[in-house]
Amino acid sequence: MNEFELINHFFKSIPSSRNDVVLGIGDDAALLSIPSGKQLLVTTDTLVAERHFLSCWDAFDIAYKSVMVNVSDIAAMGGDPAWLSLSLTLQEADEFWLCRFAQGLNDAMNQFDIALIGGDTTRGPLSITITLHGLIPVGQGIRRSGAKPGDRIYVSGELGAAALAVTMLNESEQTSDQAVLMQKLLHPQARVDLKDALRSYATSAIDISDGLSSDLNHICESSQVGACLNLSDIPIHPLVRKIQRDKAIEFALHGGDDYELCFTVRPEQEEQMLQALKKLTISCYPVGIITAETGLTAQDPAGRIKPVQIKGYRHF
Ligand code: ADP
Ligand code: MG
């Protein structure tokens, strides 16, 4: 199979019902209609073999995760994901691998009505770069920079499971608990469902890709504020509590790869936001408050306030 047959067979065939793609895969560039009243959000993430995923993983999972981490960035801005461009570097054109990859891509894209609009295919060490375009009503994009002292800090879902799964990657036998944790690592769920509540109420938002301490710190730095977390309020995944009793809070505070959202809301809007969130299946938890004094602190169950070390994942 040559490069063009490969693109046609595995990628051009992925269906889409979007009518805003004037011209998709097959020309020199895609041609897209941006609906009036909308702004374009653009995000890119690269996943490199043995760094972000293991090349021995099912290609379905590799593709699925590659899409979700990008969708998560659009979700953190309050947007709707729309158009996806895929740059794929492969060591070889293995048809079984490509078939699973296309299935995982399709599965994740389908959940959000995303169209594959183009990309690039090259030979080299396995890596996947996705550029995802999203749409947002003009002026409603949620930035990291909008948090103000007194704002309440919220987190969606429960934290720490994906980071715990990473510590178990080399174990040959998997218990049922480990299988559940692995699912959290392989199949994160981007929180696009929160978009309406975020657009209406959030003053700032970020997705938790590197760990709560590190990502909340990005909000603080962009907003020129600090934050005080309430340690006993941090939502810890129940299996992290069960398996890592003593270190559970460390996994929840500093563990990456959960792709939950962290966002802030003005105290006077909190009640209304909670009403809006009630209609969703995803739980959101209050975890602390934005402070005028910069830096990240946490209150322990005894009421003592201490600085929090920022320990998220860094490539360099
Ligand atoms: P060009 O030489 O103009 O860069 P390519 O030969 O790289 O074009 O790609 C041909 C068409 O196939 C383009 O429309 C491109 O967007 C699309 N394409 C290439 N690789 C992929 C891929 N992995 N997934 C989806 N579309 C792809
Ligand atoms: Mg090209």
Side-chain angles (χ1 to χ4, degrees):
M1 204 177 255
N2 72 34
E3 183 187 326
F4 302 107
E5 288 165 343
L6 182 161
I7 295 164
N8 282 334
H9 186 75
F10 293 104
F11 300 120
K12 202 173 176 184
S13 58
I14 293 182
S16 160
S17 58
R18 295 193 73 92
N19 55 15
D20 48 14
V21 181
V22 182
L23 194 57
I25 295 173
D27 215 308
D28 293 316
L31 187 59
L32 307 161
S33 292
I34 302 176
S36 63
K38 296 283 174 78
Q39 283 176 319
L40 194 58
L41 294 161
V42 185
T43 185
T44 298
D45 262 312
T46 295
L47 281 82
V48 176
E50 315 333 324
R51 169 126 339 250
H52 300 94
F53 64 88
L54 300 181
S55 44
C56 63
W57 288 3
D58 184 346
F60 182 102
D61 297 329
I62 298 171
Y64 190 100
K65 181 159 182 158
S66 304
V67 173
M68 279 297 170
V69 303
N70 279 280
V71 176
S72 178
D73 283 318
I74 298 291
M77 300 296 291
D80 286 298
W83 307 310
L84 187 147
S85 166
L86 167 69
S87 293
L88 193 54
T89 304
L90 300 170
Q91 252 157 356
E92 57 191 344
D94 179 308
E95 290 190 26
F96 176 73
W97 192 96
L98 278 160
C99 182
R100 290 296 291 161
F101 187 86
Q103 284 169 353
L105 199 68
N106 195 12
D107 196 89
M109 288 196 314
N110 244 329
Q111 294 180 33
F112 306 102
D113 194 22
I114 298 171
L116 180 62
I117 49 133
D120 201 20
T121 307
T122 52
R123 191 190 285 269
L126 177 60
S127 95
I128 297 123
T129 296
I130 285 178
T131 297
L132 182 61
H133 298 76
L135 296 167
I136 181 105
V138 171
Q140 291 190 27
I142 300 147
R143 303 161 194 231
R144 296 178 179 184
S145 57
K148 293 272 181 321
D151 285 4
R152 314 286 170 185
I153 306 164
Y154 274 76
V155 162
S156 69
E158 288 136 1
L159 305 177
L164 181 54
V166 169
T167 68
M168 298 168 166
L169 285 176
N170 293 326
E171 293 179 25
S172 48
E173 297 277 306
Q174 238 184 29
T175 64
S176 59
D177 283 352
Q178 284 173 342
V180 173
L181 292 167
M182 269 312 281
Q183 278 306 305
K184 297 291 282 182
L185 179 66
L186 297 177
H187 291 180
Q189 185 58 46
R191 298 302 182 192
V192 179
D193 285 357
L194 290 177
K195 68 182 177 192
D196 292 321
L198 291 180
R199 285 179 202 168
S200 300
Y201 303 109
T203 53
S204 72
I206 191 167
D207 67 323
I208 306 177
S209 52
D210 298 333
L212 176 62
S213 65
S214 165
D215 290 317
L216 175 57
N217 189 52
H218 290 312
I219 287 188
C220 291
E221 288 187 339
S222 297
S223 301
Q224 296 178 291
V225 293
C228 183
L229 293 168
N230 211 332
L231 283 188
S232 48
D233 287 342
I234 306 236
I236 303 174
H237 192 280
L239 286 178
V240 179
R241 248 186 230 290
K242 176 179 165 192
I243 296 169
Q244 282 285 348
R245 191 165 260 290
D246 298 336
K247 287 199 206 138
I249 189 70
E250 293 289 308
F251 277 92
L253 256 186
H254 308 299
D257 263 347
D258 282 320
Y259 299 99
E260 294 295 347
L261 297 183
C262 174
F263 52 96
T264 56
V265 57
R266 300 269 342 127
E268 60 270 23
Q269 299 236 280
E270 192 177 14
E271 209 35 60
Q272 264 177 293
M273 183 190 76
L274 289 172
Q275 288 302 321
L277 290 174
K278 257 192 197 155
K279 300 187 192 104
L280 305 176
T281 49
I282 169 79
S283 303
C284 293
Y285 304 90
V287 295
I289 191 165
I290 295 291
T291 59
E293 196 176 335
T294 56
L296 192 58
T297 55
Q299 188 165 26
D300 68 16
R304 289 176 298 239
I305 295 179
K306 290 185 185 153
V308 174
Q309 249 192 307
I310 294 150
K311 286 199 279 198
Y313 185 81
R314 299 249 160 88
H315 285 274
F316 299 104

